[in-house]
Amino acid sequence: MKNFIFISPNFPVTYWKFCAELKNNGLRVLGIGDCPYAQLHQNLRENLHEYYKVDNLENYDEVFKAVAFFSYKYGKIDWLESNNEYWLERDARLRTEFHITTGFMTEDMARIKYKSVMKDYYAKAGIPTARYHLVEGFADAAAFAHWVGYPVIVKPDNGVGASHTYRLRNDEELRFFLEHKDDAVYIMEEFVNGYVRTYDAIIDADGRPIFESGNVTPQSLMDVVNEQANCVYYIVPELPQEMLDVGRRTVEAFRVRSRFVHLEYFVLNADQEGLGKQGDIIGLEVNMRPAGGYTPDMYDFAYETDVYKIWADMVAYNHCTLDLNRARHFCAFCGRRDGKDFILNHQAIMTKYGFSMKMWGRIPDALADAMANQMYVAVFDTEEEMNTFFQELLACRE
């Protein structure tokens, strides 16, 4: 029996489904986390062979001892994974030290965690990216900003999501940013006039996709976070061929194996000098884990499938055992921010859209900055129906 260690299997809460499908495929699933066992979701407890609670997942020595204990008790550890961006480097260090060869190792981290290094691998795939500069002080940063033209975007070179990401419009805002930023290394990029599309896939041990999907985010996640705006995005029924092409080229260039990936790109809204023509695809950043929040469940709703099962099949068999030729739909996420005077209340929304609704409820505080506070997930057969759903749920009284 193969041993699979799942780091922090309780977050997000739906990750118990990964554990359940691993168990169904005959793996011994061993959990490590800092949540007390009694507080774990019942479905998670039922699908873990054993759980090791540490006082603090941030404490590497504690987690190391937990892995060592499982290794001593059950023998060779075949897989170790969290499927969580926050723990990617921790996962890689543990794999390296315990010689677990089924995932990224410490030596792989630079190309998948540092946005400046990612650009070299996008280039290997033949995909353009925004010009950039690693910020040292005002003089060098201002020189770059004047070269590419304001506005510019600054964000941690090694960061998670849109946290600490800002649009700077002039030298005054640049000075303010430099005076108040933390000690992290920041990357500055030219502003890209585009919207975000993704290539999301489950990649087998040979670098081949066994499941492919993607979403469209018509608004800036940076603005959602910084301006505390509502949040909308959606899963598309079919990826355009050009997105399939750039996604597969990116997977090859970054040497992805045995992973769920969420790869982000800009699609230009207009011609932009130095980048391309309207509609061209520009590399943004790679995320070597599933898309965040409730997106894995949205793949299931959109494609009438089970990505938790597909991923577990990849782990156990290196291929998918499901029939993927099912009906496909648009799957829409609408996150509403507290404090806004929306025209439709919850009862009115459910009365009108209950037949299309798949999920609804409060968003955990840990996800609320990027996804708002109250979410509704629904499926539609046409883009027009979906857009009407977004417009009606976000309409506010003046």
Side-chain angles (χ1 to χ4, degrees):
M1 178 180 289
K2 290 185 177 181
N3 296 311
F4 191 111
I5 291 181
F6 210 117
I7 304 292
S8 189
N10 56 300
F11 185 83
V13 66
T14 53
Y15 274 20
W16 70 264
K17 298 178 184 179
F18 284 126
C19 297
E21 296 302 339
L22 289 171
K23 181 181 178 182
N24 290 339
N25 282 353
L27 281 78
R28 180 186 288 120
V29 188
L30 308 166
I32 299 175
D34 53 14
C35 177
Y37 180 78
Q39 296 179 20
L40 297 178
H41 193 290
Q42 177 64 28
N43 288 329
L44 178 57
R45 294 201 302 266
E46 291 175 354
N47 287 287
L48 291 177
H49 184 83
E50 188 170 351
Y51 180 72
Y52 190 114
K53 182 192 176 298
V54 296
D55 290 332
N56 184 0
L57 275 173
E58 300 280 359
N59 186 322
Y60 182 78
D61 290 341
E62 278 195 88
V63 181
F64 181 94
K65 290 176 182 177
V67 176
F69 170 77
F70 282 146
S71 181
Y72 173 79
K73 184 171 182 178
Y74 296 107
K76 181 180 183 299
I77 304 302
D78 300 283
W79 290 78
L80 183 147
E81 187 58 75
S82 66
N83 276 341
N84 193 310
E85 182 79 22
Y86 189 77
W87 301 116
L88 281 181
E89 291 173 288
R90 167 68 51 81
D91 294 348
R93 183 178 175 186
L94 289 166
R95 289 192 204 98
T96 301
E97 297 199 7
F98 284 92
H99 307 290
I100 304 167
T101 59
T102 47
F104 286 124
M105 311 295 266
T106 297
E107 66 187 28
D108 299 311
M109 285 298 99
R111 73 177 185 273
I112 66 172
K113 286 293 292 178
Y114 289 86
K115 296 173 178 63
S116 56
V117 181
M118 290 178 192
K119 292 176 181 292
D120 294 334
Y121 289 86
Y122 272 123
K124 290 181 179 181
I127 301 168
T129 57
R131 290 171 290 182
Y132 77 99
H133 173 73
L134 293 178
V135 175
E136 296 179 7
F138 178 80
D140 62 283
F144 174 81
H146 293 164
W147 175 50
V148 299
Y150 282 110
V152 292
I153 305 298
V154 289
K155 52 191 173 183
D157 193 29
N158 180 8
V160 178
S163 178
H164 301 288
T165 299
Y166 308 102
R167 182 188 291 114
L168 306 180
R169 298 173 177 83
N170 50 51
D171 284 356
E172 183 179 356
E173 291 186 357
L174 172 59
R175 288 187 188 278
F176 182 86
F177 163 74
L178 291 171
E179 290 170 359
H180 293 87
K181 79 176 188 68
D182 56 27
D183 293 332
V185 174
Y186 276 77
I187 184 173
M188 176 181 286
E189 295 179 315
E190 64 182 315
F191 176 77
V192 177
N193 177 15
Y195 66 93
V196 174
R197 292 197 74 136
T198 73
Y199 172 84
D200 302 344
I202 298 172
I203 307 299
D204 72 11
D206 302 303
R208 298 171 303 201
I210 59 177
F211 170 81
E212 295 173 299
S213 180
N215 67 58
V216 174
T217 304
Q219 62 194 136
S220 163
L221 182 57
M222 173 183 64
D223 293 340
V224 172
V225 174
N226 292 338
E227 299 176 13
Q228 290 293 280
N230 300 315
C231 174
V232 300
Y233 70 97
Y234 57 92
I235 308 296
V236 295
E238 299 285 347
L239 279 184
Q241 185 59 46
E242 57 268 28
M243 283 303 304
L244 291 170
D245 178 54
V246 297
R248 293 167 184 171
R249 282 158 47 201
T250 305
V251 165
E252 181 178 2
F254 279 81
R255 303 195 301 275
V256 180
R257 300 291 185 271
S258 304
R259 294 204 70 77
F260 213 139
V261 299
H262 173 60
L263 312 179
E264 298 179 323
Y265 306 85
F266 286 118
V267 180
L268 294 182
N269 290 322
D271 295 357
Q272 188 163 345
E273 185 177 356
L275 281 179
K277 301 292 186 180
Q278 180 180 3
D280 284 356
I281 299 171
I282 309 299
L284 175 52
E285 65 182 67
V286 299
N287 301 279
M288 299 299 173
R289 42 77 181 171
Y294 305 94
T295 311
D297 300 277
M298 292 173 62
Y299 303 137
D300 289 354
F301 303 144
Y303 292 1
E304 298 184 8
T305 191
D306 185 343
V307 296
Y308 301 96
K309 169 65 173 169
I310 299 170
W311 176 83
D313 281 354
M314 177 274 294
V315 171
Y317 315 124
N318 202 37
H319 66 268
C320 176
T321 63
L322 298 181
D323 176 12
L324 299 181
N325 296 314
R326 306 290 299 275
R328 297 189 170 198
H329 319 275
F330 289 94
C331 186
F333 175 95
C334 184
R336 307 208 307 180
R337 189 74 64 179
D338 287 350
K340 297 182 182 293
D341 190 12
F342 295 106
I343 293 175
L344 295 184
N345 61 21
H346 174 73
Q347 182 177 352
I349 291 171
M350 297 307 294
T351 297
K352 183 163 188 177
Y353 288 106
F355 63 93
S356 298
M357 203 70 69
K358 295 294 185 180
M359 297 177 72
W360 62 90
R362 297 294 293 176
I363 296 173
D365 290 343
L367 302 175
D369 274 354
M371 303 186 76
N373 306 104
Q374 176 75 20
M375 63 94 171
Y376 295 90
V377 174
V379 294
F380 301 95
D381 289 328
T382 70
E383 191 169 3
E384 181 181 10
E385 292 173 311
M386 179 184 67
N387 288 336
T388 300
F389 168 78
F390 284 140
Q391 291 166 7
E392 294 193 344
L393 265 63
L394 297 180
C396 292
R397 295 180 178 86
E398 296 183 357

